[in-house]
Amino acid sequence: QAQLVQSGSELKKPGASVKVSCKASGYTFTNYAVHWVRQAPRQGLEWLGRINTDTGDPTYARDFAGRVFFSVDRSVSTAFLQINGLKSEDTAVYFCVRSWVELCLGPRCVFDVWGPGTLVTVSS
Amino acid sequence: DIQMTQSPSAMSASVGDRVTITCRASQGINNYLAWFQQKPGTVPKRLIFTASTLESGVPSRFSGSGSGTDFTLTISGLQPEDFATYYCLQYSTYPWTFGQGTKVDIK
């Protein structure tokens, strides 16, 4: 069955960078976009953006554009999230989630499969 | 950007209660709305998509309604396992946006 597996927890100092991976299996990787969603401690869900895994075209939420970067390696069905210039406020669990690559209304179209989440802690 | 205003932010309810959570979009999103349930320390679980389509395996006491800008998640007969936080998500237009969440706890 479809699955997303993420890399392990990270502890970083302020100003550093982090790169989180999300490996897909059990489905055709390029049929689905990979989105990134984060959740700070005791806070709600926040959409960072998404990447079209077929074309590599990214879309970023306004608050993260310029500091967050998405990429894919289609040869290993893996998407990546890189955050530069980490701040303490970036401490959160980062989830990768899939949705059909095109806007649609069916069951495959929105967040049916989630990764387990990667805890990124930013602390001096 | 489309803002999703979810209410209430928290509520206390008893087993067997009927619970209603609303999400209002700042502009029309047709039926591009999903509802998720999240329990502490776990991954969000999709309950409803396309505003009113129940996810396979989700109990029928959960239902969704609405179109355009106003949407509702209803739990008819709250069960102990339903105490959790619920989020709406609009996926009509980028950036996709979540509601702030509604925490349902035990009265």
Side-chain angles (χ1 to χ4, degrees), chain A residues 4-61:
Chain A
L4 298 172
V5 176
Q6 297 183 228
S7 49
S9 298
E10 301 269 8
L11 174 61
K12 296 291 184 181
K13 294 190 184 303
S17 297
V18 68
K19 193 168 187 177
V20 176
S21 68
C22 172
K23 182 173 177 58
S25 62
Y27 70 94
T28 301
F29 182 61
T30 52
N31 282 348
Y32 290 82
V34 170
H35 297 241
W36 293 93
V37 172
R38 79 176 184 182
Q39 186 168 40
R42 296 169 298 283
Q43 299 299 311
L45 301 171
E46 185 173 25
W47 186 82
L48 277 65
R50 74 38 137 167
I51 187 164
N52 182 320
T53 55
D54 188 29
T55 64
D57 176 45
T59 304
Y60 299 104

Side-chain angles (χ1 to χ4, degrees), chain B residues 39-81:
Chain B
K39 298 179 182 179
T42 69
V43 176
K45 172 187 174 184
R46 191 175 71 180
L47 300 176
I48 285 168
F49 57 93
T50 324
S52 59
T53 305
L54 197 64
E55 182 74 30
S56 175
V58 172
S60 59
R61 62 181 179 272
F62 291 92
S63 64
S65 64
S67 183
T69 60
D70 294 307
F71 301 87
T72 300
L73 173 69
T74 301
I75 310 172
S76 300
L78 197 68
Q79 296 299 301
E81 59 269 29

Side-chain angles (χ1 to χ4, degrees), chain A residues 39 50 62 103 105 107 110, chain B residues 1 38 43 46 50 91 94-95:
Chain A
Q39 186 168 40
R50 74 38 137 167
R62 196 184 309 275
L103 184 66
L105 284 170
V110 59
Chain B
D1 297 1
Q38 188 181 32
V43 176
R46 191 175 71 180
T50 324
Y91 55 106
Y94 291 126

